[in-house]
Amino acid sequence: MSPEEWTYLVVLLISIPIGFLFKKAGPGLKRWGAAAVGLGLTLFTCGPHTLHSLITILGTWALIQAQPCSCHALALAWTFSYLLFFRALSLLGLPTPTPFTNAVQLLLTLKLVSLASEVQDLHLAQRKEMAAGFSQGPSLGLLPYIPSLMETLSYSYCYVGILTGPFFRYRTYLDWLEQPFPGAVPSLRPLLRRAWPAPLFGLLFLLSSHLFPLEAVREDAFYARPLPARLFYMVPVFFAFRMRFYVAWIAAECGCIAAGFGAYPVAAKARAGGGPTLPCAPPSSLEEASALEYDYETIRNIDCYGTDFCTRVREGMRYWNMTVQWWLAQYIYKTAPTRSYVLRSAWTMLLSAYWHGLHPGYYLSFLTIPLCLAAEVRLEAALRWRLGPGGQQAWDWAHWFLKMRAYDYMCMGFVLLSLGDTLRYWASVYFCIHVLALAALGVGLAVGAGGPGRRKAAPQAAGLAPEKLREE
């Protein structure tokens, strides 16, 4: 592990006992205490580069105050433009920020765009009430007021997820501050239940990264190996990549659980990133609060089993970095300048790559996803329905195998980063996933969705499934 990885791990682990300290505190202590801890961690890891996060916050707050009815688009443009400046600092001869500063800036961008959207929704709801002449009552997920500058700063620097996520909305943060009877919200058992696989994942990460180091792929000797060896190597590289993030995100979730952050009654049917989807009245007594069953779906960032064993590429996206996937679906996918599922996915993946950074490997990897999505949707709509139950089961197993190989292949661009290293590796395996996806798309288009009566229904079913996933 690098010194940076050790720092991330220490920050994640100390967040757990800090969470237990804040769990039963009052709203004021939670707000300012959590902000003080977060600001302290930011100053410790980022030093003077903390100024970048402060400039981003102040700029977003000014836009919210100036144009509350259209601040979402303005905040998106401002924060994403600042990301470009932030990443071009070395080219401008200015000090290069630390990797921790980049992590803070990434999460802050998500939070501020979401905050601007929530304020815009509130402003529009208030205008509708004024036009109607009566109040419709509180709406699910709507903010009760526009946060002040100090409240915006406290949300932005809250220690929860400040370096690694999960992303959370201001409404989620406010619900934590005002949580009724926090002592009734379970923490220890859910934390232990969530944390138990993390040590195993950590050991597997250390073992796989030691046996199959990424640096080997950058050496000339690697390309003298036979093709099967080169093809196989991307499997343990992606395995190590997954294990690393599984540990980080599970630890981050445990920090939230310790503080009771993101806990909602199961009846609210909360979803990762977005929070409750159904109204649920707050308990009026300690006994009522203790009788409720709670979950932490709102801050759930990874479904390890789903990531490894789901069948389709689009399902794999749903289970990975779940709170950020919700953000992308809510604020990028739904507002894309096209209605085509594949083109909207491509637009979302392009902005996702930009959010991650300027390395060409991000763009090569993320922009391969829409091709894989189009191929699996078309081929499945054309052929799977023709098979019997046994054939469909075999199809799903083959689909799962190819899905994992597609993510292995795309991961190489994500970790190699440079254009030359990524293309060199992909060329050494003959761009196999690109070729396979193009062939599958061609077969799907040639065969079509089936015979009469199914030719129309199958494409619609295939197209609706991804849309439904986005809505969920």
Side-chain angles (χ1 to χ4, degrees):
M1 289 176 63
S2 67
E4 292 169 8
E5 288 172 327
W6 277 111
T7 303
Y8 277 117
L9 183 60
V10 169
V11 169
L12 289 169
L13 292 179
I14 65 173
S15 296
I16 296 174
I18 290 174
F20 282 113
L21 292 176
F22 279 121
K23 181 186 173 185
K24 297 181 182 180
L29 181 56
K30 277 184 176 179
R31 180 186 289 278
W32 305 116
V37 172
L39 181 58
L41 288 173
T42 305
L43 288 169
F44 174 73
T45 56
C46 305
H49 299 292
T50 302
L51 183 63
H52 293 293
S53 59
L54 182 60
I55 292 172
T56 309
I57 295 165
L58 294 176
T60 304
W61 184 79
L63 292 172
I64 288 173
Q65 297 301 311
Q67 294 290 334
C69 59
S70 57
C71 57
H72 166 62
L74 293 173
L76 183 65
W78 157 246
T79 53
F80 271 55
S81 297
Y82 196 86
L83 278 179
L84 181 61
F85 166 75
F86 175 79
R87 284 159 180 162
L89 288 173
S90 59
L91 300 177
L92 299 173
L94 297 172
T96 303
T98 66
F100 304 109
T101 313
N102 183 62
V104 170
Q105 201 70 22
L106 290 182
L107 270 299
L108 187 61
T109 296
L110 303 185
K111 291 164 78 172
L112 293 175
V113 171
S114 174
L115 174 61
S117 179
E118 290 181 90
V119 169
Q120 180 173 306
D121 290 343
L122 173 61
H123 184 74
L124 295 176
Q126 290 174 338
R127 290 179 61 178
K128 286 181 181 179
E129 285 185 359
M130 292 176 62
F134 63 91
S135 176
Q136 298 178 347
S139 299
L140 182 65
L142 201 65
L143 294 183
Y145 56 85
I146 296 178
S148 67
L149 175 58
M150 294 304 293
E151 288 168 332
T152 301
L153 286 166
S154 71
Y155 165 63
S156 301
Y157 285 118
C158 178
Y159 79 93
V160 175
I162 196 164
L163 288 176
T164 58
F167 156 76
F168 52 88
R169 303 165 63 217
Y170 188 85
R171 177 75 257 186
T172 304
Y173 170 70
L174 198 60
D175 289 343
W176 176 62
L177 297 180
E178 300 173 351
Q179 196 173 59
F181 312 106
V185 176
S187 286
L188 184 58
R189 285 188 179 181
L191 188 151
L192 295 175
R193 196 161 52 240
R194 187 62 178 134
W196 75 264
L200 174 61
F201 292 150
L203 289 174
L204 291 172
F205 160 68
L206 293 173
L207 181 63
S208 55
S209 58
H210 175 73
L211 295 176
F212 301 95
L214 176 65
E215 289 305 314
V217 184
R218 295 189 171 98
E219 298 171 357
D220 293 338
F222 176 84
Y223 296 94
R225 301 181 186 185
L227 176 60
R230 298 196 302 271
L231 274 170
F232 171 76
Y233 207 86
M234 63 184 181
V235 177
V237 167
F238 183 46
F239 179 81
F241 181 84
R242 295 200 310 279
M243 296 303 108
R244 177 172 175 257
F245 277 95
Y246 287 176
V247 171
W249 284 333
I250 288 174
E253 288 180 39
C254 288
C256 294
I257 294 170
F261 194 104
Y264 289 99
V266 172
K269 294 190 180 299
R271 57 183 170 182
T277 59
L278 295 176
C280 189
S284 57
S285 66
L286 179 60
E287 292 73 18
E288 185 181 345
S290 300
L292 289 172
E293 184 182 356
Y294 295 87
D295 65 34
Y296 287 89
E297 288 299 311
T298 300
I299 51 85
R300 190 179 188 189
N301 213 31
I302 187 68
D303 183 334
C304 305
Y305 182 86
T307 298
D308 279 11
F309 296 106
C310 68
T311 304
R312 299 169 179 81
V313 171
R314 63 177 177 261
E315 292 170 356
M317 294 167 57
R318 179 186 180 189
Y319 295 124
W320 177 266
N321 205 358
M322 295 163 70
T323 59
V324 175
Q325 293 298 334
W326 181 88
W327 187 95
L328 288 169
Q330 189 73 14
Y331 302 122
I332 304 299
Y333 181 84
K334 289 183 178 179
T335 60
T338 177
R339 305 310 299 171
S340 162
Y341 166 61
V342 173
L343 293 179
R344 291 171 89 181
S345 299
W347 170 252
T348 304
M349 292 300 102
L350 176 63
L351 291 191
S352 179
Y354 174 81
W355 177 75
H356 279 85
L358 300 180
H359 297 288
Y362 291 146
Y363 297 85
L364 291 171
S365 296
F366 277 109
L367 293 178
T368 301
I369 291 176
L371 173 62
C372 294
L373 291 173
E376 75 174 6
V377 167
R378 286 291 180 178
L379 193 64
E380 187 171 19
L383 298 179
R384 188 178 183 276
W385 68 272
R386 302 172 187 269
L387 305 174
Q392 289 188 2
Q393 188 175 25
W395 174 285
D396 290 341
W397 276 106
H399 198 162
W400 166 80
F401 178 82
L402 293 174
K403 180 266 298 186
M404 293 303 294
R405 303 296 73 78
Y407 278 121
D408 293 338
Y409 180 86
M410 289 184 282
C411 176
M412 297 304 291
F414 201 92
V415 295
L416 289 171
L417 297 178
S418 75
L419 180 67
D421 287 341
T422 302
L423 292 180
R424 186 185 188 189
Y425 177 78
W426 282 358
S428 78
V429 295
Y430 301 101
F431 296 96
C432 56
I433 295 299
H434 284 100
V435 171
L436 187 61
L438 287 170
L441 180 60
V443 170
L445 290 172
V447 174
R454 292 198 61 98
R455 186 173 293 275
K456 245 176 146 177
Q460 288 176 352
L464 281 175
E467 294 290 347
K468 188 173 188 302
L469 286 175
R470 289 296 176 272
E471 291 300 318
E472 291 175 353

